Amino acid sequence: MSKRIVAACAILLALTITFGGCGKPKEQAANTKGKRTIVFVFKLVGIPYSNACQKGADQAAKELGVNVEFLGPAKGGDVAGQVRMIENQISRGVDAIVISPNDPNSVKPVIEKAARRGIKVFTWDSDAPDTKRIFYVAAADDVGIGEDIMDRLAKDVGGKGKIGIMSGSQGALNLNQHVDGVLKALKKYPNIELAKPILNNNDQPQLAQSGMAGLLQRYPDLAGIACVSSPGPPGAARAAIAAGKAGKVKIWGLSLPSENRQYLKDGTVNGLILWDPAKLTFLTAKLVNDYLDGRKPADGMEVKGIGKLKVSKDGIIIMPGVVITKENVDQFDF
Amino acid sequence: MRGIIRVKELPVLTLCVGLFIFFALRAPNFTDPFGILDDIRQYAAYAILAVGLTLIIGSGGIDISVGSVLGFSTILMGVILSKSAASLPLACLAAVAGGTAWGAFNGLAVARLRLQPVVVTLSTMAAARGIAYVMAGQGISSIKLPPRADWLAGVCYASPAPVVLAMLVAVAGWLALSSTPFGRRILAIGSNEEAARLSGIDVGRMKFLVYAITGVLAGVAGVMTAGMMSTAQTDAGLGYEFEAITAVLIGGTSIVGGEATVLGSVLGVLAAALLNRGFGLMGISDLWRMMFLGVTLIASVLLDRLRKYVALRSIKAQRA
Amino acid sequence: MTATPKRRISRVPRELPIFYFLVALCAVLALVTRHNFLNAGNLRTMGTDAAAIGIISVGMTAVIITGGIDLSVAAILALSALVGGGFISQGNTFVGCLVTLATGIGCGALNGGLITIARMPPIIATLGTLYVLQSAATLYSGGQVVYANGHLSLLGNGFVPLVITLVVFAVGGAVMRLTRMGRYVYAIGGNEESARLAGISPTRVKMIVYVASGALAALAALVTLGVNNTFQANDVVGYELAAIAAVVIGGTSIMGGEGSILGTMIGVGISTVLRNGAILVGLDARWTQAVIGAAILVAVITDKVRRR
């Protein structure tokens, strides 16, 4: 008897919840104490890069006087989790959602839903082209960064030799695009050949180090390596040092200055290409806020503390990035 | 009415109601039915996996490969749709068939080769994911579904169909477990495999079936996931097995086998969905959600012990 | 007259087939890659690569032999490294090491308590602690990287990680084979009720085993800090599955009661050699997962066949 009561309650609960949703969406109540709310949904939380972005978001909240929040799934590469979070923000009825999607295609439906409800959607750090996002702010496009890394590496190895590539994992779109960029630029240098296999370090330092060590075994005369995942350059540096090849193998990559400080200074890592995630996030919040006030971004506009912005017709806004070498590494605190 | 404490779904139902009330008061817009439907739709795939896992765990086994099999099916569908002119229904069927194949493989290894379920499914977990990566191609993280799949995307994303499907699967699972000889045999095997075998139950065949069925369900969940994301992701389903198993355990199904409740598992998934929605609307970090999930898992098992202890005491008291 | 089938009781040590497999694997790699595989530098690389997973595999072997499992070891490693790492980065190396070990032991005791006192099934208890400790590690560190600043480089240089790992294997193997506690572990795993009737306390043995697993995770944390000089909460995600795979490949039965540290060592060796070998022969990274899955299956099936 009791079991039936419990079962009946459960079924009733489930039915109410499910089919209650077949009605029209309620008027979105503002929940945000009347203040404008901009929510950033990043790829994940709990890594130094996302922490740096959050700093930028917090600073924007202070300076602009609006609510700026920063969220992301706990796990990396959690496409479904990210979509769920965006759904939640749509439910809240926030004013603007800014996304750095784990996968650009997966967020297309949810962006459309947000647009239908009158919420403005933007992207930053990684784009979702071909969706209803209003504009995209980045420090370079993902493929372009890869090309840049390759060009600088090519210069340091003198235009010839074998170079390797280290990525994080196959499931990360932005990393794949960086690698595509490296491969694209590689074609420009007929005397440089790719040292296969392309390594995956799963965004973990141990695999970065052992992967590079293995590659150095396979190619003792390896000229350089392009690392597009953050633990890559320091791990590769350690492997180079252990193999006695520090300085002989040139290392360029995408990584945080704080993780590479000593290696940049002693020359094991030649340079990093990055941008300040806090500045990027702050800039995006500011541009979004301006947009909500009716001010659209214009090509060539100057922003204090950041520089000149390039704005393209399909809404791609590029802020100047930064090349980090031993000369300027101490200027950065991330 | 005191018998209510004997109902094994009581803890998880209390959890669901408790979460609902808490968030309805504290999280803005929590009770928006449209919003709740959206969130539940996102968890439909977990619910489908959870039904299959309930059967497996009820029979005394386990399957940690469901997430990878889901991913395999998704990519299989994506590859077929993008690299050939096959129709959408055919691609979906192939994806489900792929999932079934892995499930059947698990089932054969467990039933015929008598290998331990956790070991077999650990290896299929790695193998299925690996083959998905290989099928997708070097450096490919996702395959955008071509236009002829738009119908699927529309159905999965914009309609209650995924939730309805999940509920149908749940009802089927519940009926199978509670009212058919099949269900009785599964639970008998989970309770005491030797006794079940001696009483004439074809243990091997039953075990094979639960793994194969779960494979089918993982394939279906894979198709659904591809539809919802409009893209076939190589990392689709990553980690789903642990969250689904957590939901099943929170729901009252016993890990040692013999006692299983599909209703409990579905409520467990519902609890996870409500938690996700509530924390999301309150702006609480996803890390705290993970923490809460872990605490809830431990607490629910402890409470279940407590419940059984109290129930036993009340029976003894009645008899005295 | 009925014929009784003869049963050959195998006198061959159970680890022999996988040992042959490892040797064959190494031989093939040595032939194919010439001097790239068997040289001091590469051995050192593999040794360093095997260290963290190897150390936690020893604890995992004991846990599995008692019929349990510890899904939270990687999370314990992470939390220990981050909590102790704070002290180490500021130069309080000794205190930091103690704190790391204490954290590992504490987490191990948490698992042990849930499993023995609260009678929770190990898979559930450690799944729950996995969630709790992993999220705690990220929340505690704020996701930031902790820097050892070279204070633990002693543990990370040259062949030291490999030596430490081998020592842990040796000690673990000795404890399991030669001490009373080791016999108790096998007894509990074999038949807990009989063991209890024989006077062995399952509670005590299991508690010790889970605490040991936690302590070894902490040791692995220190070695990792020594090797990488940094630690971030996500650095060892997935290591628990790698450890379980190594234990299983090594011939330890997941049901408990039988298995060996030696087998686990060979299992760790096989997965390390596969990882290293894949790069040496130029195998695309996307094949690694599939190969590992196949390896586990092959190992388990051959073990099963051997026991027929």
Side-chain angles (χ1 to χ4, degrees):
Chain A
M1 180 61 205
S2 322
K3 194 176 166 73
R4 293 215 195 116
I5 294 179
V6 169
C9 286
I11 294 179
L12 202 64
L13 180 69
L15 284 172
T16 318
I17 290 176
T18 313
F19 289 106
C22 281
K24 279 194 139 183
K26 237 174 39 192
E27 265 296 309
Q28 296 299 339
N31 60 301
T32 47
K33 308 176 196 102
K35 240 186 186 185
R36 176 179 289 169
T37 301
I38 302 173
V39 179
F40 283 86
V41 181
F42 192 57
K43 300 185 178 135
L44 79 162
V45 291
I47 56 166
Y49 188 88
S50 67
N51 288 339
C53 288
Q54 172 135 29
K55 247 179 40 188
D58 293 340
Q59 193 194 348
K62 237 183 355 209
E63 285 191 26
L64 302 172
V66 297
N67 273 348
V68 181
E69 298 177 9
F70 190 88
L71 302 167
K75 254 188 335 177
D78 192 353
V79 171
Q82 194 182 34
V83 171
R84 265 178 251 145
M85 280 194 164
I86 301 171
E87 294 264 10
N88 283 337
Q89 302 315 309
I90 296 176
S91 243
R92 280 173 77 191
V94 297
D95 300 286
I97 303 177
V98 191
I99 308 172
S100 173
N102 278 309
D103 176 83
N105 296 321
S106 63
V107 290
K108 182 161 172 190
V110 75
I111 291 180
E112 290 197 5
K113 176 183 284 188
R116 271 203 305 271
R117 308 270 181 98
I119 300 175
K120 311 271 185 281
V121 181
F122 310 83
T123 50
W124 106 112
D125 182 75
S126 274
D127 198 8
D130 207 26
T131 66
K132 291 212 158 76
R133 63 110 175 98
I134 295 172
F135 60 66
Y136 164 57
V137 186
D141 76 280
D142 284 334
V143 176
I145 292 174
E147 293 182 65
D148 204 357
I149 293 178
M150 182 65 231
D151 287 334
R152 292 178 190 272
L153 185 64
K155 205 163 83 148
D156 275 351
V157 303
K160 61 177 167 44
K162 299 199 191 78
I163 65 109
I165 301 179
M166 184 186 294
S167 182
S169 73
Q170 183 172 334
L173 178 70
N174 61 330
L175 294 180
N176 288 337
Q177 292 197 310
H178 298 328
V179 172
D180 286 344
V182 173
L183 292 171
K184 189 167 147 205
L186 183 61
K187 296 202 190 106
K188 292 195 299 220
Y189 306 97
N191 291 328
I192 299 184
E193 66 172 286
L194 176 64
K196 287 193 179 171
I198 297 179
L199 303 169
N200 272 350
N201 65 22
N202 208 25
D203 295 319
Q204 294 180 333
Q206 183 53 51
L207 286 171
Q209 183 170 344
S210 56
M212 177 66 167
L215 201 63
L216 283 172
Q217 280 294 330
R218 187 161 148 86
Y219 305 100
D221 56 347
L222 190 73
I225 186 163
C227 304
V228 302
S229 136
S230 201
R238 281 194 297 276
I241 294 173
K245 298 215 162 77
K248 296 203 199 99
V249 175
K250 309 295 177 191
I251 302 176
W252 270 89
L254 238 170
S255 186
L256 295 173
S258 51
E259 291 179 37
N260 293 279
R261 215 175 289 275
Q262 70 187 94
Y263 302 121
L264 280 167
K265 288 197 176 154
D266 67 27
T268 323
V269 172
N270 295 71
L272 307 170
I273 302 209
L274 197 64
W275 52 89
D276 187 337
K279 279 210 179 120
L280 178 64
T281 309
F282 174 83
L283 172 68
T284 309
K286 182 166 166 8
L287 291 174
V288 167
N289 196 39
D290 285 347
Y291 186 90
L292 292 173
D293 282 335
R295 290 194 295 274
K296 301 207 179 138
D299 190 21
M301 66 187 277
E302 275 264 2
V303 177
K304 188 168 62 97
I306 285 172
K308 234 200 249 196
L309 304 178
K310 278 202 295 234
V311 181
S312 81
K313 265 196 291 282
D314 31 339
I316 300 182
I317 304 173
I318 309 279
M319 97 172 184
V322 72
V323 178
I324 304 168
T325 61
K326 72 151 88 115
E327 279 85 36
N328 61 6
V329 64
D330 281 328
Q331 292 170 20
F332 304 99
D333 63 346
F334 58 92
Chain B
M1 208 38 209
R2 243 177 310 166
I4 202 158
I5 201 140
R6 274 195 263 159
V7 177
K8 54 179 175 286
E9 297 88 356
L10 187 67
V12 70
L13 181 61
T14 315
L15 178 67
C16 282
V17 172
L19 284 175
F20 192 85
I21 294 176
F22 178 77
F23 288 129
L25 295 172
R26 299 293 298 273
N29 275 355
F30 184 78
T31 47
D32 173 23
F34 222 62
I36 292 186
L37 173 64
D38 284 340
D39 279 337
I40 292 187
R41 186 193 292 118
Q42 298 287 335
Y43 272 85
Y46 288 96
I48 293 177
L49 294 178
V51 173
L53 284 167
T54 311
L55 295 175
I56 290 181
I57 294 179
S59 76
I62 196 155
D63 186 348
I64 56 174
S65 69
V66 285
S68 299
V69 174
L70 189 162
F72 174 88
S73 307
T74 304
I75 288 289
L76 182 61
M77 183 165 123
V79 166
I80 290 179
L81 281 175
S82 61
K83 298 249 173 76
S84 78
S87 66
L88 182 64
L90 195 62
C92 294
L93 217 62
V96 175
T100 313
W102 282 107
F105 179 82
N106 283 335
L108 280 174
V110 169
R112 295 272 160 253
L113 294 178
R114 308 282 194 97
L115 296 174
Q116 286 304 314
V118 64
V119 170
V120 171
T121 56
L122 178 67
S123 75
T124 31
M125 176 173 144
R129 182 68 62 190
I131 296 182
Y133 282 149
V134 169
M135 283 196 306
Q138 175 64 32
I140 303 288
S141 64
S142 69
I143 302 172
K144 190 170 153 73
L145 299 183
R148 65 184 184 282
D150 281 351
W151 176 85
L152 182 71
V155 160
C156 289
Y157 193 72
S159 78
V163 179
V164 173
L165 180 60
M167 281 177 56
L168 287 174
V169 169
V171 168
W174 169 65
L175 283 174
L177 202 58
S178 62
S179 319
T180 65
F182 169 75
R184 282 195 288 279
R185 287 176 193 151
I186 296 292
L187 293 176
I189 294 174
S191 278
N192 188 328
E193 191 173 316
E194 216 27 62
R197 191 192 312 273
L198 291 172
S199 73
I201 296 177
D202 188 345
V203 171
R205 187 150 155 269
M206 291 293 117
K207 282 189 175 182
F208 172 80
L209 281 175
V210 290
Y211 285 96
I213 290 173
T214 301
V216 174
L217 293 177
V220 169
V223 171
M224 187 187 284
T225 304
M228 282 205 299
M229 303 285 148
S230 301
T231 168
Q233 201 68 31
T234 51
D235 279 347
L238 198 64
Y240 278 33
E241 54 279 331
F242 289 116
E243 293 219 30
I245 289 174
T246 303
V248 170
L249 294 173
I250 289 178
T253 296
S254 171
I255 192 76
V256 301
E259 213 188 305
T261 157
V262 171
L263 174 62
S265 303
V266 169
L267 287 175
V269 174
L270 179 65
L274 292 175
L275 184 68
N276 187 275
R277 179 175 174 74
F279 271 29
L281 291 178
M282 286 172 75
I284 298 179
S285 165
D286 205 43
L287 294 166
W288 285 109
R289 184 183 63 91
M290 262 189 79
M291 167 87 72
F292 189 88
L293 216 57
V295 172
T296 305
L297 178 60
I298 294 176
S300 72
V301 174
L302 290 177
L303 283 173
D304 196 58
R305 290 204 164 275
L306 189 64
R307 181 187 63 79
K308 289 205 176 99
Y309 176 72
V310 170
L312 205 59
R313 285 283 296 265
S314 80
I315 293 178
K316 285 194 179 150
Q318 276 174 13
R319 295 225 183 108
Chain C
M1 193 158 90
T2 53
T4 20
K6 270 213 196 131
R7 272 182 121 224
R8 278 199 306 141
I9 300 174
S10 178
R11 295 268 182 101
V12 173
R14 58 185 296 122
E15 298 91 1
L16 210 52
I18 46 166
F19 180 67
Y20 284 155
F21 181 67
L22 178 62
V23 170
L25 190 60
C26 291
V28 166
L29 280 172
L31 277 170
V32 169
T33 65
R34 271 160 286 155
H35 59 94
N36 286 336
F37 181 68
L38 283 178
N39 64 62
N42 202 42
L43 288 174
R44 186 188 52 226
T45 300
M46 287 197 286
T48 310
D49 198 33
I53 292 180
I55 294 173
I56 62 180
S57 298
V58 174
M60 184 69 82
T61 310
V63 164
I64 290 182
I65 290 181
T66 66
I69 199 164
D70 188 351
L71 294 173
S72 64
V73 276
I76 298 178
L77 200 169
L79 186 63
S80 313
L82 291 167
V83 172
F87 294 92
I88 295 174
S89 71
Q90 287 164 349
N92 300 324
T93 312
F94 185 62
V95 172
C97 289
L98 285 180
V99 168
T100 304
L101 286 170
T103 310
I105 290 174
C107 294
L110 173 65
N111 280 333
L114 287 172
I115 291 168
T116 57
I117 301 170
R119 307 290 190 96
M120 282 185 73
I123 195 167
I124 304 183
T126 56
L127 183 61
T129 45
L130 164 65
Y131 282 131
V132 170
L133 295 173
Q134 183 63 44
S135 51
T138 311
L139 288 166
Y140 176 85
S141 62
Q144 289 297 105
V145 175
V146 82
Y147 295 94
N149 292 329
H151 292 122
L152 279 179
S153 56
L154 201 68
L155 291 179
N157 283 338
F159 280 97
V160 175
L162 176 60
V163 168
I164 294 179
T165 309
L166 289 173
V167 166
V168 170
F169 271 117
V171 171
V175 166
M176 291 296 279
R177 282 264 166 241
L178 304 173
T179 68
R180 220 166 2 140
M181 181 53 66
R183 281 199 291 282
Y184 289 172
V185 169
Y186 280 99
I188 297 282
N191 190 324
E192 190 170 321
E193 214 28 58
S194 314
R196 187 206 306 272
L197 292 171
I200 301 173
S201 158
T203 301
R204 204 161 140 257
V205 172
K206 286 184 182 180
M207 184 60 118
I208 289 176
V209 146
Y210 284 96
V211 166
S213 180
L216 286 172
L219 178 62
L222 292 175
V223 172
T224 307
L225 274 171
V227 170
N228 295 333
N229 211 30
T230 61
F231 199 90
Q232 200 273 337
N234 294 327
D235 280 353
V236 292
V237 166
Y239 276 31
E240 70 282 346
L241 292 177
I244 294 172
V247 171
V248 158
I249 290 177
T252 298
S253 167
I254 211 85
M255 292 297 288
E258 52 176 0
S260 71
I261 299 280
L262 176 62
T264 301
M265 194 167 89
I266 299 175
V268 171
I270 290 177
S271 59
T272 308
V273 167
L274 280 174
R275 262 199 310 279
N276 178 267
I279 298 177
L280 290 182
V281 304
L283 189 66
D284 261 347
R286 64 202 171 111
W287 286 95
T288 38
Q289 281 266 52
V291 168
I292 290 175
I296 299 175
L297 209 55
V298 166
V300 170
I301 291 180
T302 47
D303 184 64
K304 198 72 201 211
V305 165
R306 183 194 68 84
R307 278 199 262 163
R308 278 258 173 94

